Short mmCIF file of all heavy atoms in Angstrom, two decimals:
data_model
loop_
_atom_site.label_atom_id
_atom_site.label_comp_id
_atom_site.label_asym_id
_atom_site.label_seq_id
_atom_site.Cartn_x
_atom_site.Cartn_y
_atom_site.Cartn_z
N MET A 404 7.85 0.90 12.58
CA MET A 404 9.19 1.32 12.34
C MET A 404 9.26 2.33 11.19
O MET A 404 8.65 2.09 10.16
CB MET A 404 10.08 0.13 12.03
CG MET A 404 11.53 0.45 11.89
SD MET A 404 12.51 -1.04 11.66
CE MET A 404 12.28 -1.29 9.89
N GLN A 405 9.93 3.39 11.32
CA GLN A 405 10.02 4.41 10.31
C GLN A 405 11.24 4.10 9.44
O GLN A 405 12.36 3.90 9.96
CB GLN A 405 10.14 5.77 10.94
CG GLN A 405 9.98 6.96 10.01
CD GLN A 405 8.57 7.09 9.48
OE1 GLN A 405 7.61 6.77 10.21
NE2 GLN A 405 8.39 7.50 8.28
N ALA A 406 11.01 4.04 8.13
CA ALA A 406 12.17 3.77 7.20
C ALA A 406 12.97 5.00 7.15
O ALA A 406 12.49 6.11 7.05
CB ALA A 406 11.66 3.38 5.86
N PRO A 407 14.32 4.88 7.20
CA PRO A 407 15.21 6.01 7.04
C PRO A 407 15.00 6.60 5.64
O PRO A 407 14.75 5.85 4.67
CB PRO A 407 16.59 5.41 7.20
CG PRO A 407 16.42 4.04 7.60
CD PRO A 407 15.04 3.61 7.36
N LYS A 408 15.05 7.88 5.55
CA LYS A 408 14.81 8.52 4.24
C LYS A 408 16.14 9.03 3.64
O LYS A 408 17.05 9.40 4.37
CB LYS A 408 13.86 9.68 4.37
CG LYS A 408 12.46 9.25 4.79
CD LYS A 408 11.49 10.43 4.79
CE LYS A 408 10.10 9.93 5.01
NZ LYS A 408 9.79 9.60 6.37
N GLY A 409 16.16 9.04 2.29
CA GLY A 409 17.29 9.68 1.63
C GLY A 409 18.52 8.83 1.58
O GLY A 409 19.58 9.36 1.25
N ASN A 410 18.43 7.57 1.88
CA ASN A 410 19.65 6.73 1.81
C ASN A 410 19.37 5.53 0.91
O ASN A 410 20.04 4.50 1.04
CB ASN A 410 20.13 6.33 3.17
CG ASN A 410 19.06 5.51 3.90
OD1 ASN A 410 17.99 5.31 3.34
ND2 ASN A 410 19.43 4.98 5.04
N GLY A 411 18.42 5.63 -0.02
CA GLY A 411 18.18 4.55 -0.95
C GLY A 411 17.28 3.44 -0.38
O GLY A 411 17.09 2.40 -1.03
N VAL A 412 16.74 3.67 0.83
CA VAL A 412 15.80 2.69 1.37
C VAL A 412 14.41 3.17 1.17
O VAL A 412 14.05 4.32 1.50
CB VAL A 412 16.07 2.51 2.89
CG1 VAL A 412 15.06 1.58 3.53
CG2 VAL A 412 17.47 1.97 3.10
N VAL A 413 13.60 2.32 0.57
CA VAL A 413 12.22 2.73 0.28
C VAL A 413 11.22 1.65 0.69
O VAL A 413 11.62 0.52 0.95
CB VAL A 413 12.00 2.99 -1.27
CG1 VAL A 413 12.83 4.20 -1.71
CG2 VAL A 413 12.33 1.77 -2.08
N LEU A 414 9.97 2.02 0.76
CA LEU A 414 8.92 1.07 1.03
C LEU A 414 8.38 0.52 -0.28
O LEU A 414 8.23 1.23 -1.26
CB LEU A 414 7.77 1.73 1.78
CG LEU A 414 8.01 2.35 3.17
CD1 LEU A 414 6.69 2.66 3.78
CD2 LEU A 414 8.83 1.38 4.07
N GLN A 415 8.12 -0.77 -0.22
CA GLN A 415 7.48 -1.42 -1.41
C GLN A 415 6.23 -2.11 -0.88
O GLN A 415 6.26 -2.85 0.09
CB GLN A 415 8.46 -2.44 -1.96
CG GLN A 415 8.00 -3.06 -3.25
CD GLN A 415 9.08 -3.94 -3.87
OE1 GLN A 415 9.89 -4.53 -3.15
NE2 GLN A 415 9.07 -4.02 -5.13
N VAL A 416 5.13 -1.83 -1.55
CA VAL A 416 3.87 -2.46 -1.10
C VAL A 416 3.50 -3.65 -2.02
O VAL A 416 3.84 -3.66 -3.19
CB VAL A 416 2.69 -1.42 -1.10
CG1 VAL A 416 2.95 -0.35 -0.07
CG2 VAL A 416 2.46 -0.87 -2.44
N HIS A 417 2.86 -4.61 -1.38
CA HIS A 417 2.37 -5.73 -2.17
C HIS A 417 0.90 -5.97 -1.76
O HIS A 417 0.59 -6.06 -0.57
CB HIS A 417 3.15 -6.98 -1.90
CG HIS A 417 2.59 -8.18 -2.55
ND1 HIS A 417 2.65 -8.37 -3.92
CD2 HIS A 417 1.90 -9.21 -2.06
CE1 HIS A 417 2.07 -9.51 -4.22
NE2 HIS A 417 1.56 -10.06 -3.10
N ALA A 418 0.04 -5.98 -2.73
CA ALA A 418 -1.37 -6.21 -2.45
C ALA A 418 -1.75 -7.63 -2.93
O ALA A 418 -1.52 -7.99 -4.07
CB ALA A 418 -2.27 -5.21 -3.19
N ASP A 419 -2.25 -8.42 -2.01
CA ASP A 419 -2.70 -9.78 -2.31
C ASP A 419 -4.16 -9.78 -2.67
O ASP A 419 -5.03 -9.76 -1.84
CB ASP A 419 -2.42 -10.63 -1.08
CG ASP A 419 -2.76 -12.10 -1.34
OD1 ASP A 419 -3.36 -12.42 -2.43
OD2 ASP A 419 -2.44 -12.95 -0.48
N ARG A 420 -4.40 -9.74 -3.97
CA ARG A 420 -5.78 -9.66 -4.46
C ARG A 420 -6.63 -10.83 -4.09
O ARG A 420 -7.85 -10.75 -4.02
CB ARG A 420 -5.80 -9.41 -5.97
CG ARG A 420 -5.29 -7.98 -6.33
CD ARG A 420 -5.06 -7.87 -7.82
NE ARG A 420 -6.14 -8.28 -8.67
CZ ARG A 420 -7.18 -7.48 -8.99
NH1 ARG A 420 -7.24 -6.28 -8.58
NH2 ARG A 420 -8.10 -7.95 -9.82
N ALA A 421 -6.00 -11.97 -3.85
CA ALA A 421 -6.74 -13.13 -3.46
C ALA A 421 -7.37 -12.97 -2.07
O ALA A 421 -8.40 -13.57 -1.71
CB ALA A 421 -5.83 -14.38 -3.46
N ARG A 422 -6.73 -12.12 -1.22
CA ARG A 422 -7.24 -11.85 0.13
C ARG A 422 -8.20 -10.70 0.14
O ARG A 422 -9.01 -10.56 1.08
CB ARG A 422 -6.10 -11.56 1.09
CG ARG A 422 -5.16 -12.73 1.31
CD ARG A 422 -4.14 -12.34 2.30
NE ARG A 422 -4.70 -12.44 3.65
CZ ARG A 422 -4.15 -13.11 4.68
NH1 ARG A 422 -3.05 -13.75 4.46
NH2 ARG A 422 -4.72 -13.12 5.85
N CYS A 423 -8.05 -9.78 -0.77
CA CYS A 423 -8.84 -8.56 -0.77
C CYS A 423 -10.34 -8.82 -0.81
O CYS A 423 -10.82 -9.63 -1.64
CB CYS A 423 -8.45 -7.70 -1.99
SG CYS A 423 -9.40 -6.20 -2.12
N CYS A 424 -11.08 -8.16 0.04
CA CYS A 424 -12.50 -8.34 0.09
C CYS A 424 -13.24 -7.14 -0.43
O CYS A 424 -14.47 -7.00 -0.30
CB CYS A 424 -12.97 -8.64 1.51
SG CYS A 424 -12.17 -10.05 2.24
N GLY A 425 -12.47 -6.13 -0.90
CA GLY A 425 -13.13 -4.97 -1.55
C GLY A 425 -13.71 -3.96 -0.58
O GLY A 425 -14.61 -3.22 -0.94
N TYR A 426 -13.20 -3.90 0.61
CA TYR A 426 -13.70 -2.88 1.56
C TYR A 426 -13.33 -1.44 1.14
O TYR A 426 -14.03 -0.50 1.44
CB TYR A 426 -13.14 -3.10 2.96
CG TYR A 426 -13.65 -4.38 3.61
CD1 TYR A 426 -12.84 -5.49 3.67
CD2 TYR A 426 -14.91 -4.42 4.16
CE1 TYR A 426 -13.32 -6.64 4.31
CE2 TYR A 426 -15.39 -5.56 4.77
CZ TYR A 426 -14.57 -6.66 4.85
OH TYR A 426 -15.03 -7.80 5.42
N GLY A 427 -12.22 -1.34 0.43
CA GLY A 427 -11.81 -0.01 -0.09
C GLY A 427 -11.17 0.92 0.90
O GLY A 427 -10.88 2.03 0.57
N LEU A 428 -10.93 0.47 2.10
CA LEU A 428 -10.28 1.35 3.12
C LEU A 428 -8.93 1.82 2.67
O LEU A 428 -8.54 2.96 2.88
CB LEU A 428 -10.23 0.64 4.46
CG LEU A 428 -11.59 0.32 5.12
CD1 LEU A 428 -11.37 -0.53 6.36
CD2 LEU A 428 -12.34 1.58 5.42
N CYS A 429 -8.19 0.89 2.11
CA CYS A 429 -6.81 1.25 1.68
C CYS A 429 -6.84 2.42 0.70
O CYS A 429 -6.10 3.39 0.79
CB CYS A 429 -6.10 0.04 1.09
SG CYS A 429 -7.02 -0.71 -0.26
N ALA A 430 -7.75 2.33 -0.27
CA ALA A 430 -7.86 3.31 -1.32
C ALA A 430 -8.39 4.62 -0.77
O ALA A 430 -8.08 5.68 -1.32
CB ALA A 430 -8.74 2.80 -2.45
N GLN A 431 -9.19 4.55 0.25
CA GLN A 431 -9.69 5.79 0.87
C GLN A 431 -8.56 6.51 1.58
O GLN A 431 -8.39 7.76 1.52
CB GLN A 431 -10.73 5.48 1.93
CG GLN A 431 -12.12 5.47 1.41
CD GLN A 431 -13.15 5.06 2.45
OE1 GLN A 431 -12.95 5.45 3.61
NE2 GLN A 431 -14.15 4.34 2.06
N LEU A 432 -7.70 5.78 2.25
CA LEU A 432 -6.64 6.37 3.02
C LEU A 432 -5.44 6.77 2.19
O LEU A 432 -4.73 7.72 2.51
CB LEU A 432 -6.19 5.38 4.12
CG LEU A 432 -7.18 5.22 5.25
CD1 LEU A 432 -6.88 3.98 6.08
CD2 LEU A 432 -7.22 6.44 6.17
N CYS A 433 -5.18 6.03 1.14
CA CYS A 433 -4.00 6.36 0.32
C CYS A 433 -4.33 6.05 -1.17
O CYS A 433 -3.84 5.11 -1.74
CB CYS A 433 -2.80 5.57 0.76
SG CYS A 433 -1.26 6.07 -0.04
N PRO A 434 -5.15 6.90 -1.77
CA PRO A 434 -5.59 6.65 -3.14
C PRO A 434 -4.46 6.77 -4.17
O PRO A 434 -4.56 6.24 -5.29
CB PRO A 434 -6.66 7.75 -3.40
CG PRO A 434 -6.41 8.78 -2.37
CD PRO A 434 -5.80 8.12 -1.20
N GLU A 435 -3.36 7.43 -3.79
CA GLU A 435 -2.27 7.54 -4.73
C GLU A 435 -1.59 6.20 -4.96
O GLU A 435 -1.00 5.96 -5.99
CB GLU A 435 -1.21 8.53 -4.22
CG GLU A 435 -1.67 9.97 -4.10
CD GLU A 435 -2.35 10.31 -2.78
OE1 GLU A 435 -2.67 9.32 -2.00
OE2 GLU A 435 -2.59 11.47 -2.50
N ILE A 436 -1.66 5.33 -3.97
CA ILE A 436 -0.98 4.05 -4.08
C ILE A 436 -1.98 2.91 -4.32
O ILE A 436 -1.72 2.06 -5.20
CB ILE A 436 -0.18 3.73 -2.75
CG1 ILE A 436 0.89 4.78 -2.49
CG2 ILE A 436 0.46 2.33 -2.81
CD1 ILE A 436 2.04 4.76 -3.46
N TYR A 437 -3.00 2.87 -3.56
CA TYR A 437 -3.94 1.75 -3.68
C TYR A 437 -5.11 2.12 -4.57
O TYR A 437 -5.82 3.12 -4.30
CB TYR A 437 -4.47 1.38 -2.29
CG TYR A 437 -3.34 1.10 -1.32
CD1 TYR A 437 -3.22 1.87 -0.16
CD2 TYR A 437 -2.40 0.08 -1.52
CE1 TYR A 437 -2.19 1.64 0.74
CE2 TYR A 437 -1.38 -0.12 -0.66
CZ TYR A 437 -1.29 0.67 0.49
OH TYR A 437 -0.24 0.42 1.33
N LYS A 438 -5.26 1.41 -5.62
CA LYS A 438 -6.36 1.63 -6.56
C LYS A 438 -7.33 0.46 -6.47
O LYS A 438 -6.95 -0.64 -6.09
CB LYS A 438 -5.82 1.71 -8.00
CG LYS A 438 -4.58 2.52 -8.18
CD LYS A 438 -4.90 4.03 -8.23
CE LYS A 438 -3.61 4.81 -8.45
NZ LYS A 438 -3.84 6.24 -8.32
N LEU A 439 -8.56 0.71 -6.92
CA LEU A 439 -9.54 -0.33 -6.96
C LEU A 439 -9.96 -0.58 -8.40
O LEU A 439 -10.17 0.38 -9.13
CB LEU A 439 -10.82 0.04 -6.12
CG LEU A 439 -10.55 0.36 -4.65
CD1 LEU A 439 -11.88 0.69 -3.95
CD2 LEU A 439 -9.88 -0.81 -3.93
N ASP A 440 -10.04 -1.85 -8.81
CA ASP A 440 -10.46 -2.14 -10.17
C ASP A 440 -11.98 -2.10 -10.27
O ASP A 440 -12.68 -1.75 -9.29
CB ASP A 440 -9.83 -3.49 -10.61
CG ASP A 440 -10.43 -4.69 -9.87
OD1 ASP A 440 -11.46 -4.51 -9.18
OD2 ASP A 440 -9.90 -5.76 -10.03
N GLU A 441 -12.51 -2.50 -11.40
CA GLU A 441 -13.92 -2.40 -11.65
C GLU A 441 -14.72 -3.32 -10.73
O GLU A 441 -15.96 -3.12 -10.55
CB GLU A 441 -14.28 -2.65 -13.15
CG GLU A 441 -13.98 -4.07 -13.60
CD GLU A 441 -12.59 -4.31 -14.02
OE1 GLU A 441 -11.72 -3.43 -13.76
OE2 GLU A 441 -12.33 -5.36 -14.63
N ASN A 442 -14.07 -4.30 -10.14
CA ASN A 442 -14.77 -5.21 -9.21
C ASN A 442 -14.55 -4.72 -7.76
O ASN A 442 -14.97 -5.40 -6.81
CB ASN A 442 -14.28 -6.61 -9.36
CG ASN A 442 -14.58 -7.16 -10.71
OD1 ASN A 442 -15.71 -7.01 -11.20
ND2 ASN A 442 -13.61 -7.77 -11.38
N GLY A 443 -13.89 -3.59 -7.59
CA GLY A 443 -13.64 -3.08 -6.24
C GLY A 443 -12.50 -3.75 -5.52
O GLY A 443 -12.32 -3.59 -4.32
N LEU A 444 -11.68 -4.51 -6.24
CA LEU A 444 -10.54 -5.16 -5.69
C LEU A 444 -9.26 -4.32 -5.84
O LEU A 444 -9.10 -3.64 -6.88
CB LEU A 444 -10.30 -6.56 -6.26
CG LEU A 444 -11.45 -7.55 -6.05
CD1 LEU A 444 -11.10 -8.92 -6.63
CD2 LEU A 444 -11.81 -7.71 -4.58
N VAL A 445 -8.42 -4.39 -4.87
CA VAL A 445 -7.22 -3.57 -4.82
C VAL A 445 -6.22 -3.97 -5.91
O VAL A 445 -6.11 -5.12 -6.28
CB VAL A 445 -6.59 -3.61 -3.44
CG1 VAL A 445 -5.92 -4.99 -3.19
CG2 VAL A 445 -5.58 -2.49 -3.21
N TYR A 446 -5.52 -2.98 -6.42
CA TYR A 446 -4.33 -3.20 -7.22
C TYR A 446 -3.38 -2.01 -7.00
O TYR A 446 -3.80 -0.96 -6.55
CB TYR A 446 -4.61 -3.44 -8.72
CG TYR A 446 -5.05 -2.27 -9.47
CD1 TYR A 446 -4.17 -1.49 -10.20
CD2 TYR A 446 -6.40 -1.91 -9.50
CE1 TYR A 446 -4.61 -0.34 -10.92
CE2 TYR A 446 -6.84 -0.76 -10.21
CZ TYR A 446 -5.94 -0.04 -10.92
OH TYR A 446 -6.33 1.08 -11.63
N VAL A 447 -2.10 -2.29 -7.30
CA VAL A 447 -1.10 -1.25 -7.04
C VAL A 447 -0.42 -0.97 -8.39
O VAL A 447 -0.01 -1.90 -9.05
CB VAL A 447 -0.08 -1.76 -6.00
CG1 VAL A 447 1.07 -0.80 -5.92
CG2 VAL A 447 -0.76 -1.99 -4.66
N GLU A 448 -0.40 0.29 -8.79
CA GLU A 448 0.22 0.63 -10.09
C GLU A 448 1.73 0.66 -9.96
O GLU A 448 2.47 0.21 -10.78
CB GLU A 448 -0.29 1.99 -10.59
CG GLU A 448 -1.48 1.83 -11.45
CD GLU A 448 -2.11 3.16 -11.86
OE1 GLU A 448 -1.61 4.23 -11.44
OE2 GLU A 448 -3.08 3.13 -12.60
N ASP A 449 2.20 1.26 -8.88
CA ASP A 449 3.65 1.35 -8.66
C ASP A 449 3.92 0.95 -7.23
O ASP A 449 3.50 1.60 -6.27
CB ASP A 449 4.08 2.80 -8.90
CG ASP A 449 5.60 2.93 -8.81
OD1 ASP A 449 6.26 1.90 -8.54
OD2 ASP A 449 6.11 4.04 -9.03
N ALA A 450 4.60 -0.16 -7.08
CA ALA A 450 4.78 -0.74 -5.75
C ALA A 450 5.75 0.07 -4.88
O ALA A 450 5.75 -0.02 -3.67
CB ALA A 450 5.32 -2.16 -5.86
N ILE A 451 6.57 0.90 -5.52
CA ILE A 451 7.51 1.68 -4.74
C ILE A 451 6.85 2.94 -4.24
O ILE A 451 6.25 3.73 -4.99
CB ILE A 451 8.74 2.11 -5.59
CG1 ILE A 451 9.47 0.82 -6.11
CG2 ILE A 451 9.70 3.02 -4.83
CD1 ILE A 451 10.07 -0.03 -5.02
N VAL A 452 6.86 3.18 -2.93
CA VAL A 452 6.18 4.28 -2.34
C VAL A 452 7.10 5.49 -2.26
O VAL A 452 8.13 5.41 -1.64
CB VAL A 452 5.67 3.90 -0.91
CG1 VAL A 452 4.94 5.04 -0.24
CG2 VAL A 452 4.82 2.65 -0.99
N PRO A 453 6.68 6.64 -2.79
CA PRO A 453 7.46 7.82 -2.62
C PRO A 453 7.51 8.25 -1.14
O PRO A 453 6.52 8.03 -0.45
CB PRO A 453 6.74 8.92 -3.47
CG PRO A 453 5.62 8.19 -4.20
CD PRO A 453 5.45 6.84 -3.57
N PRO A 454 8.61 8.83 -0.70
CA PRO A 454 8.76 9.15 0.74
C PRO A 454 7.62 9.94 1.30
O PRO A 454 7.17 9.69 2.44
CB PRO A 454 10.05 9.94 0.77
CG PRO A 454 10.80 9.60 -0.45
CD PRO A 454 9.79 9.18 -1.48
N GLU A 455 7.07 10.86 0.51
CA GLU A 455 5.99 11.71 1.06
C GLU A 455 4.65 10.92 1.27
O GLU A 455 3.78 11.42 1.93
CB GLU A 455 5.75 12.94 0.16
CG GLU A 455 5.21 12.64 -1.26
CD GLU A 455 6.31 12.29 -2.26
OE1 GLU A 455 7.44 12.03 -1.86
OE2 GLU A 455 5.96 12.30 -3.48
N LEU A 456 4.56 9.74 0.72
CA LEU A 456 3.34 8.95 0.86
C LEU A 456 3.53 7.76 1.83
O LEU A 456 2.61 6.96 2.02
CB LEU A 456 2.89 8.40 -0.49
CG LEU A 456 2.43 9.41 -1.50
CD1 LEU A 456 2.03 8.77 -2.82
CD2 LEU A 456 1.18 10.18 -0.96
N GLU A 457 4.68 7.64 2.46
CA GLU A 457 4.95 6.47 3.30
C GLU A 457 3.92 6.35 4.43
O GLU A 457 3.39 5.26 4.71
CB GLU A 457 6.37 6.54 3.87
CG GLU A 457 7.40 6.17 2.88
CD GLU A 457 8.82 6.19 3.43
OE1 GLU A 457 8.95 6.43 4.64
OE2 GLU A 457 9.73 5.97 2.66
N GLU A 458 3.66 7.43 5.11
CA GLU A 458 2.74 7.37 6.24
C GLU A 458 1.35 6.91 5.79
O GLU A 458 0.72 6.02 6.38
CB GLU A 458 2.66 8.72 6.94
CG GLU A 458 2.15 8.61 8.36
CD GLU A 458 2.18 9.97 9.07
OE1 GLU A 458 3.11 10.73 8.82
OE2 GLU A 458 1.25 10.16 9.81
N GLN A 459 0.87 7.55 4.73
CA GLN A 459 -0.44 7.19 4.20
C GLN A 459 -0.46 5.70 3.77
O GLN A 459 -1.47 4.99 3.95
CB GLN A 459 -0.78 8.05 2.98
CG GLN A 459 -1.46 9.36 3.29
CD GLN A 459 -1.60 10.15 2.02
OE1 GLN A 459 -0.72 10.90 1.65
NE2 GLN A 459 -2.68 9.92 1.29
N ALA A 460 0.57 5.29 3.09
CA ALA A 460 0.65 3.91 2.63
C ALA A 460 0.61 2.94 3.77
O ALA A 460 -0.11 1.90 3.70
CB ALA A 460 1.91 3.71 1.78
N ARG A 461 1.27 3.26 4.85
CA ARG A 461 1.25 2.41 6.02
C ARG A 461 -0.11 2.39 6.68
O ARG A 461 -0.63 1.36 7.11
CB ARG A 461 2.25 2.90 7.09
CG ARG A 461 3.70 2.64 6.74
CD ARG A 461 4.59 3.26 7.80
NE ARG A 461 5.97 3.17 7.51
CZ ARG A 461 6.76 2.09 7.71
NH1 ARG A 461 6.22 1.03 8.22
NH2 ARG A 461 8.02 2.11 7.43
N GLU A 462 -0.74 3.56 6.75
CA GLU A 462 -2.09 3.59 7.32
C GLU A 462 -3.09 2.76 6.49
O GLU A 462 -3.87 2.03 7.05
CB GLU A 462 -2.57 5.06 7.36
CG GLU A 462 -2.05 5.82 8.49
CD GLU A 462 -2.42 7.31 8.46
OE1 GLU A 462 -3.31 7.67 7.66
OE2 GLU A 462 -1.81 8.08 9.19
N GLY A 463 -2.97 2.89 5.18
CA GLY A 463 -3.87 2.11 4.29
C GLY A 463 -3.65 0.65 4.51
O GLY A 463 -4.61 -0.15 4.54
N ALA A 464 -2.40 0.20 4.64
CA ALA A 464 -2.09 -1.20 4.78
C ALA A 464 -2.65 -1.72 6.15
O ALA A 464 -3.27 -2.76 6.21
CB ALA A 464 -0.62 -1.45 4.70
N SER A 465 -2.45 -0.93 7.18
CA SER A 465 -2.86 -1.45 8.52
C SER A 465 -4.39 -1.35 8.69
O SER A 465 -4.91 -2.03 9.55
CB SER A 465 -2.13 -0.76 9.63
OG SER A 465 -2.32 0.63 9.56
N ALA A 466 -5.04 -0.56 7.87
CA ALA A 466 -6.48 -0.46 7.97
C ALA A 466 -7.20 -1.62 7.30
O ALA A 466 -8.39 -1.83 7.53
CB ALA A 466 -6.98 0.88 7.37
N CYS A 467 -6.47 -2.36 6.51
CA CYS A 467 -7.16 -3.41 5.74
C CYS A 467 -7.61 -4.54 6.63
O CYS A 467 -6.83 -5.20 7.30
CB CYS A 467 -6.18 -4.01 4.69
SG CYS A 467 -6.88 -5.38 3.80
N PRO A 468 -8.91 -4.80 6.68
CA PRO A 468 -9.47 -5.84 7.53
C PRO A 468 -9.05 -7.27 7.10
O PRO A 468 -9.09 -8.19 7.87
CB PRO A 468 -10.98 -5.68 7.46
CG PRO A 468 -11.24 -4.55 6.53
CD PRO A 468 -9.97 -4.14 5.92
N ALA A 469 -8.68 -7.38 5.85
CA ALA A 469 -8.33 -8.69 5.31
C ALA A 469 -6.82 -8.94 5.36
O ALA A 469 -6.36 -9.99 4.89
CB ALA A 469 -8.81 -8.79 3.85
N GLU A 470 -6.09 -7.97 5.84
CA GLU A 470 -4.60 -8.07 5.91
C GLU A 470 -4.06 -8.45 4.54
O GLU A 470 -3.19 -9.32 4.39
CB GLU A 470 -4.13 -9.06 6.98
CG GLU A 470 -4.58 -8.58 8.36
CD GLU A 470 -4.08 -9.52 9.49
OE1 GLU A 470 -3.49 -10.55 9.18
OE2 GLU A 470 -4.34 -9.16 10.66
N ALA A 471 -4.57 -7.82 3.53
CA ALA A 471 -4.17 -8.13 2.17
C ALA A 471 -2.97 -7.36 1.68
O ALA A 471 -2.43 -7.66 0.62
CB ALA A 471 -5.36 -7.86 1.21
N ILE A 472 -2.57 -6.36 2.43
CA ILE A 472 -1.46 -5.52 1.99
C ILE A 472 -0.26 -5.68 2.88
O ILE A 472 -0.34 -5.61 4.11
CB ILE A 472 -1.87 -4.03 2.01
CG1 ILE A 472 -3.06 -3.81 1.06
CG2 ILE A 472 -0.71 -3.14 1.59
CD1 ILE A 472 -3.67 -2.48 1.14
N THR A 473 0.87 -5.99 2.29
CA THR A 473 2.11 -6.10 3.03
C THR A 473 3.07 -5.01 2.57
O THR A 473 3.04 -4.64 1.40
CB THR A 473 2.75 -7.46 2.91
OG1 THR A 473 2.83 -7.79 1.55
CG2 THR A 473 1.97 -8.55 3.67
N ILE A 474 3.85 -4.56 3.49
CA ILE A 474 4.87 -3.52 3.18
C ILE A 474 6.23 -4.07 3.49
O ILE A 474 6.47 -4.62 4.60
CB ILE A 474 4.59 -2.23 3.97
CG1 ILE A 474 3.25 -1.63 3.54
CG2 ILE A 474 5.70 -1.23 3.80
CD1 ILE A 474 2.98 -0.28 4.12
N GLU A 475 7.12 -3.89 2.56
CA GLU A 475 8.49 -4.34 2.71
C GLU A 475 9.40 -3.16 2.59
O GLU A 475 9.15 -2.21 1.89
CB GLU A 475 8.75 -5.26 1.52
CG GLU A 475 9.46 -6.56 1.81
CD GLU A 475 9.72 -7.27 0.49
OE1 GLU A 475 8.82 -7.33 -0.36
OE2 GLU A 475 10.83 -7.73 0.33
N ILE A 476 10.50 -3.21 3.35
CA ILE A 476 11.50 -2.20 3.17
C ILE A 476 12.60 -2.72 2.29
O ILE A 476 13.13 -3.78 2.54
CB ILE A 476 12.08 -1.77 4.54
CG1 ILE A 476 10.94 -1.20 5.43
CG2 ILE A 476 13.19 -0.78 4.40
CD1 ILE A 476 11.36 -0.93 6.86
N VAL A 477 12.82 -2.03 1.18
CA VAL A 477 13.81 -2.53 0.21
C VAL A 477 14.84 -1.48 -0.05
O VAL A 477 14.66 -0.28 0.18
CB VAL A 477 13.13 -2.95 -1.12
CG1 VAL A 477 12.15 -4.07 -0.88
CG2 VAL A 477 12.42 -1.75 -1.75
N THR A 478 15.97 -1.89 -0.58
CA THR A 478 16.99 -0.97 -0.99
C THR A 478 16.80 -0.58 -2.43
O THR A 478 16.68 -1.49 -3.29
CB THR A 478 18.38 -1.60 -0.78
OG1 THR A 478 18.46 -2.08 0.52
CG2 THR A 478 19.46 -0.59 -1.03
N ALA A 479 16.69 0.70 -2.68
CA ALA A 479 16.34 1.15 -4.06
C ALA A 479 17.58 0.98 -4.97
O ALA A 479 18.71 1.04 -4.49
CB ALA A 479 15.93 2.60 -4.05
S1 LIG B 216 -8.65 -2.39 2.56
FE1 LIG B 216 -7.98 -4.50 2.13
S2 LIG B 216 -9.82 -5.58 1.60
FE2 LIG B 216 -10.25 -3.44 1.41
S3 LIG B 216 -9.86 -2.94 -0.77
FE3 LIG B 216 -8.00 -2.55 0.40
S4 LIG B 216 -6.83 -4.43 0.22
FE4 LIG B 216 -8.92 -4.93 -0.29
#
């Protein structure tokens, strides 16, 4: 589902580090959102995804073999 743009609805990502296995696919696909710490585990600096990165953020989340990333649609 594509989030409507420009009406205060944004994507918010949540990374579950307990599930993350350090594959790094999310960070390869969307390095602006998904970062890896020194142990190779995912973290997110800013959970709110800018509209121009929504597609990449979704791709990164769905590529995760551990299903560690969830995306929520929130009202800004
Ligand atoms: S793709 Fe999934 S398992 Fe791999 S680093 Fe990202 S969150 Fe962790």
Side-chain angles (χ1 to χ4, degrees):
M404 186 177 81
Q405 191 69 34
K408 295 187 172 75
N410 61 356
V412 176
V413 294
L414 297 190
Q415 188 173 29
V416 295
H417 174 73
D419 183 351
R420 286 168 54 84
R422 294 184 78 128
C423 176
C424 303
Y426 292 103
L428 294 174
C429 56
Q431 270 177 35
L432 287 164
C433 188
E435 294 88 348
I436 300 290
Y437 307 118
K438 314 281 182 187
L439 301 181
D440 69 11
E441 66 276 11
N442 297 314
L444 297 182
V445 71
Y446 70 95
V447 173
E448 269 174 358
D449 186 358
I451 300 296
V452 179
E455 67 274 15
L456 293 177
E457 283 182 3
E458 200 177 323
Q459 272 175 270
R461 286 177 186 278
E462 281 174 12
S465 57
C467 176
E470 297 183 357
I472 300 172
T473 49
I474 295 187
E475 225 182 316
I476 298 173
V477 296
T478 307

